[in-house]
Amino acid sequence: MNLLGPGGGGGNRSAAIAGLIAVLLITACSSAAPPKQAVASTSCQAYPGANGNNVVTVYLYETSNTDSCVAVGTHQRIEFFNKGLGGTVVEWFGTRQLESDSSFATEPVGELLDPGTYVVEGGPFEVPRLRIVAPEESMLAQLVASDNSLGPVSVGMTLRDATNALGQPVRIDRELAPDPNCWIATAAGDPFSPLFLGTGSGSRTITAIIQTHPVDRVIGDPDLCHRTP
């Protein structure tokens, strides 16, 4: 097919070239496939809104792989961060080229994908699987706050008390608060987990609870931990 038309007239030629560019753009956009749904993983690492901005950072490097899994709440955004020595590509509604030590952030994933487990194509560094979690799937997202408690967990409880009250493990996350005298704990694997703050290495008593969904709320005194996420 001759897109430039007979005779090569200037006006016709310009119109044909513009039409060809439009076709190419439409083709490129239609090939920007979203992540593919995959078999659900039984164990996923979650990153509650520790910095108050509900951004989950997924690090990519030479040994990252699709066998690992990151749980992301529908309210959270994902930052894909290339920590490898070379460049890599992430296929996220289009091809994203990431040079070493560069990143890009998505919109809240619930605006883009339904709940479920997804494989994100890319390379040469593999991207962990993503498990998108709706608040309806999380018991912690349903907890009701009071002046001194969130659901069955109250300020003054120990982490063991909180584990028993919630029926799921509540563990200290050293990446959130590496200071041994000031710790932050979460319910493992749940992106809707509140943050449990405390001090000391003895009884592990909770001095404050920070809720990040559906609203930001502080219960207790976070200053006792000398760190407010």
mmCIF file of all heavy atoms in Angstrom, residues 175-224:
data_model
loop_
_atom_site.group_PDB
_atom_site.id
_atom_site.type_symbol
_atom_site.label_atom_id
_atom_site.label_comp_id
_atom_site.label_asym_id
_atom_site.label_seq_id
_atom_site.Cartn_x
_atom_site.Cartn_y
_atom_site.Cartn_z
ATOM 1 N N GLU A 175 14.043 -3.082 59.468
ATOM 2 C CA GLU A 175 14.227 -2.128 58.377
ATOM 3 C C GLU A 175 13.444 -0.844 58.631
ATOM 4 O O GLU A 175 13.807 0.219 58.125
ATOM 5 C CB GLU A 175 13.794 -2.757 57.056
ATOM 6 C CG GLU A 175 14.693 -3.902 56.595
ATOM 7 C CD GLU A 175 14.297 -4.405 55.225
ATOM 8 O OE1 GLU A 175 13.410 -3.791 54.602
ATOM 9 O OE2 GLU A 175 14.872 -5.404 54.783
ATOM 10 N N LEU A 176 12.372 -0.940 59.392
ATOM 11 C CA LEU A 176 11.583 0.247 59.696
ATOM 12 C C LEU A 176 12.206 1.077 60.813
ATOM 13 O O LEU A 176 12.117 2.300 60.810
ATOM 14 C CB LEU A 176 10.152 -0.152 60.092
ATOM 15 C CG LEU A 176 9.331 -0.892 59.038
ATOM 16 C CD1 LEU A 176 7.927 -1.157 59.554
ATOM 17 C CD2 LEU A 176 9.270 -0.111 57.742
ATOM 18 N N ALA A 177 12.815 0.412 61.790
ATOM 19 C CA ALA A 177 13.435 1.111 62.921
ATOM 20 C C ALA A 177 14.637 0.294 63.380
ATOM 21 O O ALA A 177 14.511 -0.569 64.251
ATOM 22 C CB ALA A 177 12.444 1.291 64.057
ATOM 23 N N PRO A 178 15.796 0.532 62.804
ATOM 24 C CA PRO A 178 16.974 -0.266 63.129
ATOM 25 C C PRO A 178 17.536 -0.032 64.525
ATOM 26 O O PRO A 178 18.336 -0.822 65.009
ATOM 27 C CB PRO A 178 17.990 0.138 62.051
ATOM 28 C CG PRO A 178 17.540 1.514 61.624
ATOM 29 C CD PRO A 178 16.054 1.513 61.742
ATOM 30 N N ASP A 179 17.115 1.051 65.178
ATOM 31 C CA ASP A 179 17.592 1.332 66.533
ATOM 32 C C ASP A 179 17.036 0.276 67.491
ATOM 33 O O ASP A 179 15.816 0.143 67.634
ATOM 34 C CB ASP A 179 17.122 2.721 66.963
ATOM 35 C CG ASP A 179 17.662 3.133 68.331
ATOM 36 O OD1 ASP A 179 18.160 2.253 69.077
ATOM 37 O OD2 ASP A 179 17.562 4.322 68.670
ATOM 38 N N PRO A 180 17.887 -0.490 68.181
ATOM 39 C CA PRO A 180 17.384 -1.548 69.070
ATOM 40 C C PRO A 180 16.564 -1.016 70.237
ATOM 41 O O PRO A 180 15.804 -1.762 70.849
ATOM 42 C CB PRO A 180 18.667 -2.237 69.559
ATOM 43 C CG PRO A 180 19.745 -1.222 69.378
ATOM 44 C CD PRO A 180 19.361 -0.430 68.167
ATOM 45 N N ASN A 181 16.712 0.265 70.559
ATOM 46 C CA ASN A 181 15.935 0.853 71.653
ATOM 47 C C ASN A 181 14.627 1.477 71.179
ATOM 48 O O ASN A 181 13.899 2.066 71.976
ATOM 49 C CB ASN A 181 16.777 1.914 72.371
ATOM 50 C CG ASN A 181 17.969 1.296 73.071
ATOM 51 O OD1 ASN A 181 17.834 0.262 73.725
ATOM 52 N ND2 ASN A 181 19.128 1.907 72.927
ATOM 53 N N CYS A 182 14.346 1.366 69.887
ATOM 54 C CA CYS A 182 13.129 1.948 69.329
ATOM 55 C C CYS A 182 12.692 1.062 68.180
ATOM 56 O O CYS A 182 13.280 1.085 67.121
ATOM 57 C CB CYS A 182 13.416 3.362 68.839
ATOM 58 S SG CYS A 182 12.018 4.167 68.051
ATOM 59 N N TRP A 183 11.654 0.271 68.403
ATOM 60 C CA TRP A 183 11.291 -0.703 67.384
ATOM 61 C C TRP A 183 9.893 -0.434 66.811
ATOM 62 O O TRP A 183 9.067 0.255 67.417
ATOM 63 C CB TRP A 183 11.360 -2.123 67.926
ATOM 64 C CG TRP A 183 10.725 -2.342 69.276
ATOM 65 C CD1 TRP A 183 11.354 -2.385 70.478
ATOM 66 C CD2 TRP A 183 9.333 -2.546 69.554
ATOM 67 N NE1 TRP A 183 10.444 -2.607 71.490
ATOM 68 C CE2 TRP A 183 9.201 -2.718 70.952
ATOM 69 C CE3 TRP A 183 8.177 -2.617 68.762
ATOM 70 C CZ2 TRP A 183 7.957 -2.935 71.569
ATOM 71 C CZ3 TRP A 183 6.946 -2.831 69.371
ATOM 72 C CH2 TRP A 183 6.850 -2.992 70.767
ATOM 73 N N ILE A 184 9.671 -0.953 65.627
ATOM 74 C CA ILE A 184 8.371 -0.910 64.969
ATOM 75 C C ILE A 184 8.044 -2.333 64.536
ATOM 76 O O ILE A 184 8.862 -3.020 63.923
ATOM 77 C CB ILE A 184 8.367 0.028 63.745
ATOM 78 C CG1 ILE A 184 8.633 1.475 64.179
ATOM 79 C CG2 ILE A 184 7.032 -0.050 63.004
ATOM 80 C CD1 ILE A 184 8.728 2.449 63.030
ATOM 81 N N ALA A 185 6.842 -2.772 64.859
ATOM 82 C CA ALA A 185 6.414 -4.125 64.509
ATOM 83 C C ALA A 185 5.179 -4.063 63.614
ATOM 84 O O ALA A 185 4.409 -3.091 63.654
ATOM 85 C CB ALA A 185 6.103 -4.931 65.771
ATOM 86 N N THR A 186 5.001 -5.093 62.797
ATOM 87 C CA THR A 186 3.833 -5.194 61.927
ATOM 88 C C THR A 186 3.326 -6.633 61.926
ATOM 89 O O THR A 186 4.034 -7.559 62.335
ATOM 90 C CB THR A 186 4.178 -4.808 60.471
ATOM 91 O OG1 THR A 186 5.148 -5.722 59.954
ATOM 92 C CG2 THR A 186 4.719 -3.390 60.397
ATOM 93 N N ALA A 187 2.109 -6.792 61.455
ATOM 94 C CA ALA A 187 1.579 -8.133 61.217
ATOM 95 C C ALA A 187 2.122 -8.598 59.875
ATOM 96 O O ALA A 187 1.825 -8.003 58.832
ATOM 97 C CB ALA A 187 0.061 -8.116 61.212
ATOM 98 N N ALA A 188 2.931 -9.636 59.894
ATOM 99 C CA ALA A 188 3.668 -10.058 58.709
ATOM 100 C C ALA A 188 2.734 -10.399 57.555
ATOM 101 O O ALA A 188 1.712 -11.059 57.729
ATOM 102 C CB ALA A 188 4.537 -11.270 59.055
ATOM 103 N N GLY A 189 3.091 -9.911 56.353
ATOM 104 C CA GLY A 189 2.392 -10.288 55.138
ATOM 105 C C GLY A 189 1.121 -9.528 54.832
ATOM 106 O O GLY A 189 0.461 -9.811 53.836
ATOM 107 N N ASP A 190 0.756 -8.540 55.671
ATOM 108 C CA ASP A 190 -0.499 -7.813 55.454
ATOM 109 C C ASP A 190 -0.193 -6.342 55.183
ATOM 110 O O ASP A 190 0.249 -5.612 56.076
ATOM 111 C CB ASP A 190 -1.406 -7.935 56.676
ATOM 112 C CG ASP A 190 -2.825 -7.452 56.399
ATOM 113 O OD1 ASP A 190 -2.984 -6.536 55.575
ATOM 114 O OD2 ASP A 190 -3.765 -7.990 57.003
ATOM 115 N N PRO A 191 -0.440 -5.866 53.954
ATOM 116 C CA PRO A 191 -0.130 -4.467 53.637
ATOM 117 C C PRO A 191 -1.026 -3.466 54.358
ATOM 118 O O PRO A 191 -0.757 -2.267 54.329
ATOM 119 C CB PRO A 191 -0.332 -4.397 52.119
ATOM 120 C CG PRO A 191 -1.289 -5.496 51.818
ATOM 121 C CD PRO A 191 -0.979 -6.586 52.794
ATOM 122 N N PHE A 192 -2.093 -3.939 55.006
ATOM 123 C CA PHE A 192 -2.975 -3.059 55.765
ATOM 124 C C PHE A 192 -2.642 -3.069 57.259
ATOM 125 O O PHE A 192 -3.380 -2.506 58.065
ATOM 126 C CB PHE A 192 -4.436 -3.466 55.557
ATOM 127 C CG PHE A 192 -4.909 -3.275 54.149
ATOM 128 C CD1 PHE A 192 -4.869 -4.322 53.247
ATOM 129 C CD2 PHE A 192 -5.369 -2.045 53.715
ATOM 130 C CE1 PHE A 192 -5.298 -4.153 51.937
ATOM 131 C CE2 PHE A 192 -5.792 -1.865 52.412
ATOM 132 C CZ PHE A 192 -5.757 -2.925 51.515
ATOM 133 N N SER A 193 -1.532 -3.694 57.617
ATOM 134 C CA SER A 193 -1.154 -3.776 59.026
ATOM 135 C C SER A 193 -0.902 -2.387 59.605
ATOM 136 O O SER A 193 -0.260 -1.548 58.973
ATOM 137 C CB SER A 193 0.108 -4.619 59.190
ATOM 138 O OG SER A 193 0.577 -4.559 60.532
ATOM 139 N N PRO A 194 -1.388 -2.130 60.819
ATOM 140 C CA PRO A 194 -0.946 -0.914 61.520
ATOM 141 C C PRO A 194 0.510 -1.088 61.951
ATOM 142 O O PRO A 194 1.071 -2.187 61.874
ATOM 143 C CB PRO A 194 -1.889 -0.851 62.724
ATOM 144 C CG PRO A 194 -2.290 -2.267 62.957
ATOM 145 C CD PRO A 194 -2.331 -2.926 61.613
ATOM 146 N N LEU A 195 1.104 -0.016 62.406
ATOM 147 C CA LEU A 195 2.477 -0.054 62.918
ATOM 148 C C LEU A 195 2.408 0.014 64.440
ATOM 149 O O LEU A 195 1.758 0.895 64.992
ATOM 150 C CB LEU A 195 3.282 1.129 62.374
ATOM 151 C CG LEU A 195 3.265 1.301 60.855
ATOM 152 C CD1 LEU A 195 4.036 2.550 60.463
ATOM 153 C CD2 LEU A 195 3.817 0.078 60.158
ATOM 154 N N PHE A 196 3.077 -0.924 65.070
ATOM 155 C CA PHE A 196 3.117 -0.978 66.533
ATOM 156 C C PHE A 196 4.489 -0.493 66.981
ATOM 157 O O PHE A 196 5.510 -1.089 66.625
ATOM 158 C CB PHE A 196 2.862 -2.405 67.014
ATOM 159 C CG PHE A 196 1.546 -2.976 66.544
ATOM 160 C CD1 PHE A 196 1.498 -3.804 65.435
ATOM 161 C CD2 PHE A 196 0.364 -2.659 67.190
ATOM 162 C CE1 PHE A 196 0.299 -4.332 64.985
ATOM 163 C CE2 PHE A 196 -0.852 -3.182 66.754
ATOM 164 C CZ PHE A 196 -0.879 -4.015 65.639
ATOM 165 N N LEU A 197 4.521 0.604 67.747
ATOM 166 C CA LEU A 197 5.779 1.204 68.173
ATOM 167 C C LEU A 197 6.056 0.878 69.627
ATOM 168 O O LEU A 197 5.133 0.765 70.446
ATOM 169 C CB LEU A 197 5.743 2.731 68.002
ATOM 170 C CG LEU A 197 5.931 3.308 66.596
ATOM 171 C CD1 LEU A 197 4.787 2.923 65.674
ATOM 172 C CD2 LEU A 197 6.085 4.830 66.663
ATOM 173 N N GLY A 198 7.331 0.770 69.966
ATOM 174 C CA GLY A 198 7.717 0.527 71.345
ATOM 175 C C GLY A 198 9.188 0.797 71.566
ATOM 176 O O GLY A 198 9.937 1.102 70.637
ATOM 177 N N THR A 199 9.612 0.717 72.813
ATOM 178 C CA THR A 199 11.005 0.966 73.177
ATOM 179 C C THR A 199 11.530 -0.191 74.009
ATOM 180 O O THR A 199 10.777 -0.952 74.612
ATOM 181 C CB THR A 199 11.142 2.266 74.003
ATOM 182 O OG1 THR A 199 10.355 2.138 75.195
ATOM 183 C CG2 THR A 199 10.664 3.464 73.208
ATOM 184 N N GLY A 200 12.862 -0.286 74.034
ATOM 185 C CA GLY A 200 13.513 -1.272 74.891
ATOM 186 C C GLY A 200 13.487 -2.674 74.319
ATOM 187 O O GLY A 200 12.810 -2.976 73.337
ATOM 188 N N SER A 201 14.248 -3.546 74.960
ATOM 189 C CA SER A 201 14.375 -4.925 74.493
ATOM 190 C C SER A 201 13.845 -5.923 75.514
ATOM 191 O O SER A 201 14.065 -7.113 75.388
ATOM 192 C CB SER A 201 15.847 -5.235 74.197
ATOM 193 O OG SER A 201 16.648 -5.016 75.360
ATOM 194 N N GLY A 202 13.135 -5.436 76.524
ATOM 195 C CA GLY A 202 12.642 -6.332 77.568
ATOM 196 C C GLY A 202 11.276 -6.897 77.249
ATOM 197 O O GLY A 202 11.130 -7.870 76.509
ATOM 198 N N SER A 203 10.237 -6.282 77.783
ATOM 199 C CA SER A 203 8.890 -6.829 77.656
ATOM 200 C C SER A 203 8.261 -6.561 76.293
ATOM 201 O O SER A 203 7.210 -7.094 75.979
ATOM 202 C CB SER A 203 7.988 -6.226 78.730
ATOM 203 O OG SER A 203 7.872 -4.817 78.565
ATOM 204 N N ARG A 204 8.889 -5.709 75.463
ATOM 205 C CA ARG A 204 8.339 -5.355 74.158
ATOM 206 C C ARG A 204 6.926 -4.784 74.292
ATOM 207 O O ARG A 204 5.972 -5.238 73.673
ATOM 208 C CB ARG A 204 8.304 -6.581 73.239
ATOM 209 C CG ARG A 204 9.637 -7.250 72.997
ATOM 210 C CD ARG A 204 10.601 -6.348 72.258
ATOM 211 N NE ARG A 204 11.759 -7.087 71.763
ATOM 212 C CZ ARG A 204 12.884 -6.529 71.349
ATOM 213 N NH1 ARG A 204 12.985 -5.197 71.394
ATOM 214 N NH2 ARG A 204 13.876 -7.242 70.913
ATOM 215 N N THR A 205 6.815 -3.763 75.127
ATOM 216 C CA THR A 205 5.514 -3.143 75.365
ATOM 217 C C THR A 205 5.209 -2.109 74.285
ATOM 218 O O THR A 205 6.047 -1.280 73.933
ATOM 219 C CB THR A 205 5.493 -2.471 76.748
ATOM 220 O OG1 THR A 205 5.715 -3.466 77.743
ATOM 221 C CG2 THR A 205 4.151 -1.807 77.002
ATOM 222 N N ILE A 206 3.994 -2.129 73.772
ATOM 223 C CA ILE A 206 3.570 -1.202 72.736
ATOM 224 C C ILE A 206 3.238 0.151 73.365
ATOM 225 O O ILE A 206 2.427 0.239 74.288
ATOM 226 C CB ILE A 206 2.334 -1.755 71.996
ATOM 227 C CG1 ILE A 206 2.689 -3.060 71.280
ATOM 228 C CG2 ILE A 206 1.778 -0.735 71.004
ATOM 229 C CD1 ILE A 206 1.484 -3.808 70.743
ATOM 230 N N THR A 207 3.877 1.200 72.858
ATOM 231 C CA THR A 207 3.631 2.547 73.375
ATOM 232 C C THR A 207 2.764 3.387 72.438
ATOM 233 O O THR A 207 2.220 4.414 72.847
ATOM 234 C CB THR A 207 4.954 3.290 73.620
ATOM 235 O OG1 THR A 207 5.673 3.367 72.381
ATOM 236 C CG2 THR A 207 5.800 2.551 74.648
ATOM 237 N N ALA A 208 2.640 2.973 71.185
ATOM 238 C CA ALA A 208 1.805 3.700 70.228
ATOM 239 C C ALA A 208 1.427 2.765 69.091
ATOM 240 O O ALA A 208 2.138 1.807 68.779
ATOM 241 C CB ALA A 208 2.534 4.927 69.691
ATOM 242 N N ILE A 209 0.292 3.067 68.480
ATOM 243 C CA ILE A 209 -0.188 2.329 67.310
ATOM 244 C C ILE A 209 -0.491 3.353 66.225
ATOM 245 O O ILE A 209 -1.175 4.353 66.476
ATOM 246 C CB ILE A 209 -1.463 1.523 67.630
ATOM 247 C CG1 ILE A 209 -1.228 0.575 68.809
ATOM 248 C CG2 ILE A 209 -1.930 0.744 66.399
ATOM 249 C CD1 ILE A 209 -2.508 -0.080 69.330
ATOM 250 N N ILE A 210 0.031 3.115 65.027
ATOM 251 C CA ILE A 210 -0.213 4.025 63.916
ATOM 252 C C ILE A 210 -1.016 3.286 62.847
ATOM 253 O O ILE A 210 -0.582 2.268 62.312
ATOM 254 C CB ILE A 210 1.097 4.558 63.318
ATOM 255 C CG1 ILE A 210 1.836 5.393 64.372
ATOM 256 C CG2 ILE A 210 0.821 5.387 62.071
ATOM 257 C CD1 ILE A 210 3.133 5.976 63.887
ATOM 258 N N GLN A 211 -2.192 3.798 62.551
ATOM 259 C CA GLN A 211 -3.060 3.248 61.509
ATOM 260 C C GLN A 211 -2.864 4.070 60.240
ATOM 261 O O GLN A 211 -2.836 5.308 60.282
ATOM 262 C CB GLN A 211 -4.521 3.311 61.962
ATOM 263 C CG GLN A 211 -5.507 2.667 61.015
ATOM 264 C CD GLN A 211 -6.947 2.807 61.513
ATOM 265 O OE1 GLN A 211 -7.270 3.734 62.251
ATOM 266 N NE2 GLN A 211 -7.810 1.894 61.108
ATOM 267 N N THR A 212 -2.695 3.391 59.092
ATOM 268 C CA THR A 212 -2.475 4.100 57.823
ATOM 269 C C THR A 212 -3.596 3.879 56.823
ATOM 270 O O THR A 212 -3.567 4.443 55.730
ATOM 271 C CB THR A 212 -1.146 3.656 57.184
ATOM 272 O OG1 THR A 212 -1.193 2.240 56.931
ATOM 273 C CG2 THR A 212 0.026 3.977 58.099
ATOM 274 N N HIS A 213 -4.582 3.059 57.168
ATOM 275 C CA HIS A 213 -5.720 2.822 56.288
ATOM 276 C C HIS A 213 -6.936 2.453 57.134
ATOM 277 O O HIS A 213 -6.800 1.696 58.097
ATOM 278 C CB HIS A 213 -5.426 1.686 55.304
ATOM 279 C CG HIS A 213 -6.554 1.436 54.340
ATOM 280 N ND1 HIS A 213 -6.679 2.123 53.161
ATOM 281 C CD2 HIS A 213 -7.614 0.588 54.389
ATOM 282 C CE1 HIS A 213 -7.763 1.706 52.528
ATOM 283 N NE2 HIS A 213 -8.346 0.783 53.256
ATOM 284 N N PRO A 214 -8.100 3.001 56.844
ATOM 285 C CA PRO A 214 -8.462 3.908 55.737
ATOM 286 C C PRO A 214 -8.095 5.366 55.987
ATOM 287 O O PRO A 214 -8.179 6.179 55.062
ATOM 288 C CB PRO A 214 -9.976 3.726 55.642
ATOM 289 C CG PRO A 214 -10.393 3.420 57.043
ATOM 290 C CD PRO A 214 -9.287 2.586 57.623
ATOM 291 N N VAL A 215 -7.704 5.699 57.216
ATOM 292 C CA VAL A 215 -7.251 7.058 57.526
ATOM 293 C C VAL A 215 -5.968 6.961 58.337
ATOM 294 O O VAL A 215 -5.653 5.925 58.923
ATOM 295 C CB VAL A 215 -8.312 7.844 58.338
ATOM 296 C CG1 VAL A 215 -9.582 8.006 57.526
ATOM 297 C CG2 VAL A 215 -8.607 7.134 59.656
ATOM 298 N N ASP A 216 -5.205 8.039 58.341
ATOM 299 C CA ASP A 216 -4.005 8.102 59.176
ATOM 300 C C ASP A 216 -4.419 8.479 60.595
ATOM 301 O O ASP A 216 -5.087 9.499 60.808
ATOM 302 C CB ASP A 216 -3.017 9.134 58.623
ATOM 303 C CG ASP A 216 -2.439 8.709 57.280
ATOM 304 O OD1 ASP A 216 -2.407 7.491 57.012
ATOM 305 O OD2 ASP A 216 -2.033 9.585 56.494
ATOM 306 N N ARG A 217 -4.029 7.659 61.551
ATOM 307 C CA ARG A 217 -4.411 7.904 62.939
ATOM 308 C C ARG A 217 -3.302 7.422 63.864
ATOM 309 O O ARG A 217 -2.709 6.367 63.635
ATOM 310 C CB ARG A 217 -5.719 7.176 63.266
ATOM 311 C CG ARG A 217 -6.193 7.365 64.686
ATOM 312 C CD ARG A 217 -7.443 6.543 64.975
ATOM 313 N NE ARG A 217 -8.639 7.122 64.356
ATOM 314 C CZ ARG A 217 -9.292 6.568 63.345
ATOM 315 N NH1 ARG A 217 -8.856 5.425 62.836
ATOM 316 N NH2 ARG A 217 -10.377 7.130 62.843
ATOM 317 N N VAL A 218 -2.994 8.204 64.896
ATOM 318 C CA VAL A 218 -1.986 7.832 65.885
ATOM 319 C C VAL A 218 -2.689 7.610 67.218
ATOM 320 O O VAL A 218 -3.424 8.480 67.698
ATOM 321 C CB VAL A 218 -0.896 8.915 66.030
ATOM 322 C CG1 VAL A 218 0.102 8.517 67.126
ATOM 323 C CG2 VAL A 218 -0.176 9.123 64.707
ATOM 324 N N ILE A 219 -2.448 6.452 67.818
ATOM 325 C CA ILE A 219 -3.024 6.096 69.117
ATOM 326 C C ILE A 219 -1.871 5.911 70.090
ATOM 327 O O ILE A 219 -0.940 5.150 69.826
ATOM 328 C CB ILE A 219 -3.836 4.796 69.008
ATOM 329 C CG1 ILE A 219 -4.965 4.962 67.966
ATOM 330 C CG2 ILE A 219 -4.415 4.392 70.359
ATOM 331 C CD1 ILE A 219 -5.578 3.662 67.521
ATOM 332 N N GLY A 220 -1.899 6.607 71.212
ATOM 333 C CA GLY A 220 -0.786 6.543 72.147
ATOM 334 C C GLY A 220 0.206 7.655 71.908
ATOM 335 O O GLY A 220 -0.116 8.682 71.293
ATOM 336 N N ASP A 221 1.441 7.449 72.357
ATOM 337 C CA ASP A 221 2.472 8.485 72.291
ATOM 338 C C ASP A 221 3.662 7.995 71.481
ATOM 339 O O ASP A 221 4.548 7.315 72.016
ATOM 340 C CB ASP A 221 2.926 8.865 73.701
ATOM 341 C CG ASP A 221 3.867 10.060 73.694
ATOM 342 O OD1 ASP A 221 4.216 10.542 72.595
ATOM 343 O OD2 ASP A 221 4.269 10.497 74.794
ATOM 344 N N PRO A 222 3.739 8.325 70.174
ATOM 345 C CA PRO A 222 4.878 7.863 69.371
ATOM 346 C C PRO A 222 6.194 8.498 69.784
ATOM 347 O O PRO A 222 7.263 7.980 69.464
ATOM 348 C CB PRO A 222 4.487 8.282 67.947
ATOM 349 C CG PRO A 222 3.541 9.425 68.147
ATOM 350 C CD PRO A 222 2.792 9.130 69.404
ATOM 351 N N ASP A 223 6.152 9.634 70.492
ATOM 352 C CA ASP A 223 7.392 10.287 70.897
ATOM 353 C C ASP A 223 8.183 9.431 71.894
ATOM 354 O O ASP A 223 9.389 9.622 72.045
ATOM 355 C CB ASP A 223 7.099 11.651 71.516
ATOM 356 C CG ASP A 223 6.605 12.651 70.487
ATOM 357 O OD1 ASP A 223 6.911 12.441 69.297
ATOM 358 O OD2 ASP A 223 5.910 13.605 70.852
ATOM 359 N N LEU A 224 7.508 8.515 72.556
ATOM 360 C CA LEU A 224 8.231 7.614 73.441
ATOM 361 C C LEU A 224 9.226 6.748 72.683
ATOM 362 O O LEU A 224 10.190 6.246 73.226
ATOM 363 C CB LEU A 224 7.254 6.728 74.213
ATOM 364 C CG LEU A 224 6.365 7.442 75.222
ATOM 365 C CD1 LEU A 224 5.377 6.466 75.851
ATOM 366 C CD2 LEU A 224 7.219 8.075 76.321
#
